[in-house]
Protein backbone atom coordinates (compact mmCIF):
# COMPACT_ATOMS: atom_id res chain seq x y z
CA UNK A 1 0.00 0.00 0.00
CA UNK A 2 1.40 3.41 -0.92
CA UNK A 3 2.17 5.83 1.87
CA UNK A 4 -0.18 8.79 1.30
CA UNK A 5 2.06 11.02 3.43
CA UNK A 6 5.13 10.40 1.24
CA UNK A 7 4.62 12.99 -1.51
CA UNK A 8 6.78 15.40 -3.45
CA UNK A 9 5.68 18.13 -1.04
CA UNK A 10 6.69 16.18 2.09
CA UNK A 11 9.97 14.98 0.56
CA UNK A 12 10.70 18.55 -0.47
CA UNK A 13 9.84 19.92 2.99
CA UNK A 14 11.98 17.34 4.83
CA UNK A 15 15.01 17.98 2.62
CA UNK A 16 14.52 21.75 2.77
CA UNK A 17 14.59 21.67 6.56
CA UNK A 18 17.70 19.48 6.48
CA UNK A 19 19.41 22.16 4.38
CA UNK A 20 18.13 24.96 6.61
CA UNK A 21 16.26 26.76 3.81
CA UNK A 22 13.02 28.70 3.94
CA UNK A 23 10.44 28.18 1.20
CA UNK A 24 11.32 31.59 -0.18
CA UNK A 25 15.04 30.74 -0.28
CA UNK A 26 14.35 27.42 -1.95
CA UNK A 27 12.13 28.97 -4.61
CA UNK A 28 14.67 31.72 -5.30
CA UNK A 29 17.58 29.28 -5.67
CA UNK A 30 15.52 27.07 -7.97
CA UNK A 31 14.56 30.06 -10.13
CA UNK A 32 10.83 30.08 -9.50
CA UNK A 33 8.17 31.85 -7.47
CA UNK A 34 6.80 30.43 -4.23
CA UNK A 35 3.42 30.07 -5.93
CA UNK A 36 4.95 27.95 -8.67
CA UNK A 37 6.82 25.90 -6.07
CA UNK A 38 3.42 25.11 -4.51
CA UNK A 39 2.09 23.91 -7.88
CA UNK A 40 5.21 21.90 -8.53
CA UNK A 41 5.05 20.14 -5.16
CA UNK A 42 1.45 19.07 -5.81
CA UNK A 43 2.23 18.03 -9.41
CA UNK A 44 -0.88 19.94 -10.49
CA UNK A 45 -1.50 20.79 -14.13
CA UNK A 46 1.20 19.94 -16.64
CA UNK A 47 4.19 20.65 -14.41
CA UNK A 48 7.50 21.36 -16.08
CA UNK A 49 9.94 18.44 -15.56
CA UNK A 50 12.84 20.84 -16.09
CA UNK A 51 11.61 22.93 -13.16
CA UNK A 52 11.38 19.82 -11.01
CA UNK A 53 14.94 18.94 -12.04
CA UNK A 54 16.09 22.41 -10.93
CA UNK A 55 14.28 21.89 -7.64
CA UNK A 56 15.94 18.49 -7.14
CA UNK A 57 19.36 19.99 -7.89
CA UNK A 58 18.72 22.79 -5.38
CA UNK A 59 17.69 20.21 -2.79
CA UNK A 60 20.82 18.17 -3.62
CA UNK A 61 18.87 14.98 -4.23
CA UNK A 62 18.27 12.77 -7.28
CA UNK A 63 15.38 13.82 -9.54
CA UNK A 64 13.78 10.37 -9.45
CA UNK A 65 13.96 10.26 -5.65
CA UNK A 66 12.22 13.63 -5.38
CA UNK A 67 9.52 12.54 -7.83
CA UNK A 68 8.90 8.98 -6.61
CA UNK A 69 10.61 8.64 -3.24
CA UNK A 70 13.65 6.53 -2.37
CA UNK A 71 13.94 3.28 -4.30
CA UNK A 72 14.87 1.42 -1.11
CA UNK A 73 12.90 2.58 1.89
CA UNK A 74 14.68 2.81 5.21
CA UNK A 75 14.00 -0.24 7.44
CA UNK A 76 11.31 0.07 10.06
CA UNK A 77 8.77 1.92 7.92
CA UNK A 78 6.15 -0.82 8.08
CA UNK A 79 3.65 -1.08 10.89
CA UNK A 80 4.69 -3.17 13.88
CA UNK A 81 3.15 -6.62 14.27
CA UNK A 82 -0.05 -6.80 16.35
CA UNK A 83 1.52 -8.84 19.19
CA UNK A 84 5.31 -8.35 19.24
CA UNK A 85 7.36 -10.28 21.78
CA UNK A 86 10.66 -8.79 22.93
CA UNK A 87 13.04 -11.42 24.36
CA UNK A 88 16.63 -11.54 25.52
CA UNK A 89 19.13 -13.69 23.64
CA UNK A 90 21.59 -16.00 25.30
CA UNK A 91 25.28 -15.46 24.59
CA UNK A 92 25.34 -18.59 22.42
CA UNK A 93 22.41 -17.25 20.39
CA UNK A 94 24.19 -13.90 19.99
CA UNK A 95 27.29 -15.50 18.49
CA UNK A 96 25.18 -17.72 16.26
CA UNK A 97 23.34 -14.69 14.88
CA UNK A 98 26.54 -12.75 14.32
CA UNK A 99 27.66 -15.70 12.18
CA UNK A 100 31.08 -15.62 10.60
CA UNK A 101 31.05 -12.19 8.97
CA UNK A 102 28.89 -9.26 7.96
CA UNK A 103 28.42 -5.52 8.49
CA UNK A 104 28.22 -3.99 11.95
CA UNK A 105 28.97 -0.77 13.79
CA UNK A 106 31.77 0.04 16.20
CA UNK A 107 31.34 2.59 18.96
CA UNK A 108 34.46 4.48 20.00
CA UNK A 109 35.55 7.65 21.74
CA UNK A 110 37.16 10.03 19.25
CA UNK A 111 39.86 12.58 19.95
CA UNK A 112 38.37 15.27 22.16
CA UNK A 113 36.09 12.81 23.93
CA UNK A 114 33.24 12.76 21.41
CA UNK A 115 31.54 9.39 20.84
CA UNK A 116 31.52 8.05 17.27
CA UNK A 117 29.69 5.11 15.68
CA UNK A 118 31.08 3.78 12.41
CA UNK A 119 30.12 0.92 10.04
CA UNK A 120 32.69 -1.82 9.46
CA UNK A 121 33.01 -5.17 7.75
CA UNK A 122 33.60 -7.67 10.53
CA UNK A 123 34.58 -11.29 11.08
CA UNK A 124 33.82 -13.53 14.03
CA UNK A 125 37.03 -15.24 15.16
CA UNK A 126 36.35 -17.63 17.99
CA UNK A 127 34.31 -15.58 20.40
CA UNK A 128 35.81 -12.27 19.39
CA UNK A 129 34.94 -9.71 16.73
CA UNK A 130 37.69 -8.59 14.34
CA UNK A 131 37.75 -5.93 11.63
CA UNK A 132 40.36 -4.11 9.57
CA UNK A 133 40.93 -0.40 9.19
CA UNK A 134 43.70 2.14 8.63
CA UNK A 135 45.89 3.09 11.56
CA UNK A 136 44.93 6.77 11.30
CA UNK A 137 41.24 6.13 10.60
CA UNK A 138 38.44 7.11 12.95
CA UNK A 139 37.61 3.41 13.38
CA UNK A 140 41.09 2.65 14.79
CA UNK A 141 40.95 2.51 18.61
CA UNK A 142 43.99 2.64 20.84
CA UNK A 143 45.18 -0.79 21.97
CA UNK A 144 43.64 -1.55 25.34
CA UNK A 145 40.91 1.04 24.86
CA UNK A 146 37.25 0.42 25.61
CA UNK A 147 34.88 0.00 22.69
CA UNK A 148 31.55 -1.45 21.65
CA UNK A 149 30.25 -3.31 18.62
CA UNK A 150 26.66 -3.70 17.42
CA UNK A 151 25.02 -5.66 14.61
CA UNK A 152 21.37 -6.25 13.82
CA UNK A 153 18.93 -7.62 11.29
CA UNK A 154 15.35 -6.68 10.44
CA UNK A 155 12.85 -8.80 8.53
CA UNK A 156 10.09 -6.30 7.74
CA UNK A 157 7.92 -8.85 5.95
CA UNK A 158 7.63 -10.92 9.13
CA UNK A 159 7.99 -7.97 11.56
CA UNK A 160 10.91 -9.69 13.23
CA UNK A 161 14.42 -8.64 14.10
CA UNK A 162 17.38 -8.96 16.41
CA UNK A 163 20.30 -6.92 17.68
CA UNK A 164 23.52 -7.91 19.42
CA UNK A 165 25.76 -5.62 21.46
CA UNK A 166 29.34 -6.55 22.37
CA UNK A 167 31.39 -4.42 24.75
CA UNK A 168 35.00 -4.96 25.73
CA UNK A 169 38.61 -4.07 25.06
CA UNK A 170 40.33 -3.30 21.75
CA UNK A 171 43.44 -5.23 20.80
CA UNK A 172 45.68 -4.68 17.76
CA UNK A 173 46.37 -7.95 15.93
CA UNK A 174 50.09 -8.14 15.12
CA UNK A 175 50.79 -11.86 14.72
CA UNK A 176 51.65 -12.46 11.04
CA UNK A 177 50.18 -15.97 10.92
CA UNK A 178 46.91 -14.77 12.41
CA UNK A 179 46.66 -11.91 9.94
CA UNK A 180 47.44 -14.24 7.03
CA UNK A 181 44.58 -16.48 8.14
CA UNK A 182 42.16 -13.56 8.55
CA UNK A 183 42.79 -11.97 5.15
CA UNK A 184 41.91 -15.19 3.33
CA UNK A 185 38.53 -15.62 5.03
CA UNK A 186 35.21 -14.77 3.33
CA UNK A 187 34.12 -11.24 4.17
CA UNK A 188 37.65 -10.02 4.94
CA UNK A 189 37.75 -7.54 2.05
CA UNK A 190 36.35 -4.19 3.26
CA UNK A 191 33.66 -2.59 1.12
CA UNK A 192 35.34 0.79 1.53
CA UNK A 193 38.49 -0.46 -0.24
CA UNK A 194 42.03 0.69 0.54
CA UNK A 195 44.86 -1.20 2.20
CA UNK A 196 43.47 -1.15 5.75
CA UNK A 197 46.43 -2.94 7.26
CA UNK A 198 45.40 -2.56 10.92
CA UNK A 199 43.40 -5.47 12.29
CA UNK A 200 41.44 -4.76 15.46
CA UNK A 201 40.13 -7.49 17.76
CA UNK A 202 37.39 -6.77 20.28
CA UNK A 203 37.77 -9.02 23.30
CA UNK A 204 34.33 -9.08 24.93
CA UNK A 205 33.54 -8.39 28.53
CA UNK A 206 29.81 -8.59 27.89
CA UNK A 207 27.67 -9.90 25.04
CA UNK A 208 23.95 -9.11 25.08
CA UNK A 209 21.17 -9.32 22.54
CA UNK A 210 17.47 -8.98 22.03
CA UNK A 211 15.04 -10.34 19.49
CA UNK A 212 11.55 -9.30 18.42
CA UNK A 213 9.21 -12.11 17.45
CA UNK A 214 5.53 -12.20 16.66
CA UNK A 215 3.06 -13.84 18.97
Amino acid sequence: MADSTDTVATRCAVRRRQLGLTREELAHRAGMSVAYLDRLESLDDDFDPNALMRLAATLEMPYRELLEGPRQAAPGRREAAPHPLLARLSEDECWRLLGTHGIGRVGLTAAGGSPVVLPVNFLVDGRTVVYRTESDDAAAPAGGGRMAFEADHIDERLSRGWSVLVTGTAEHVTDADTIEDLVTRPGARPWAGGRRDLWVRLRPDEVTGRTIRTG
Side-chain angles (χ1 to χ4, degrees), residues 70-170:
R71 294 294 181 90
Q72 184 175 357
R77 292 290 186 91
R78 291 193 180 191
E79 290 294 323
H83 305 289
L85 300 174
L86 180 63
R88 294 185 181 276
L89 296 168
S90 69
E91 186 169 337
D92 286 342
E93 290 174 315
C94 289
W95 287 114
R96 179 180 59 78
L97 288 169
L98 288 180
T100 60
H101 63 278
I103 301 290
R105 286 155 292 279
V106 292
L108 307 166
T109 302
S114 299
V116 294
V117 177
L118 301 163
V120 295
N121 293 80
F122 74 92
L123 305 175
V124 172
D125 187 40
R127 289 209 165 188
T128 67
V129 172
V130 292
Y131 67 95
R132 61 195 300 185
T133 185
E134 297 176 4
S135 57
D136 58 350
D137 191 80
R146 299 289 297 170
M147 64 177 295
F149 170 84
E150 190 272 346
D152 53 60
H153 174 73
I154 294 174
D155 186 333
E156 289 213 84
R157 185 177 64 85
L158 297 176
S159 298
R160 296 178 180 177
W162 58 263
S163 66
V164 171
L165 176 64
V166 183
T167 57
T169 305

Side-chain angles (χ1 to χ4, degrees), residues 33 83 104 177:
S33 67
H83 305 289
D177 291 338

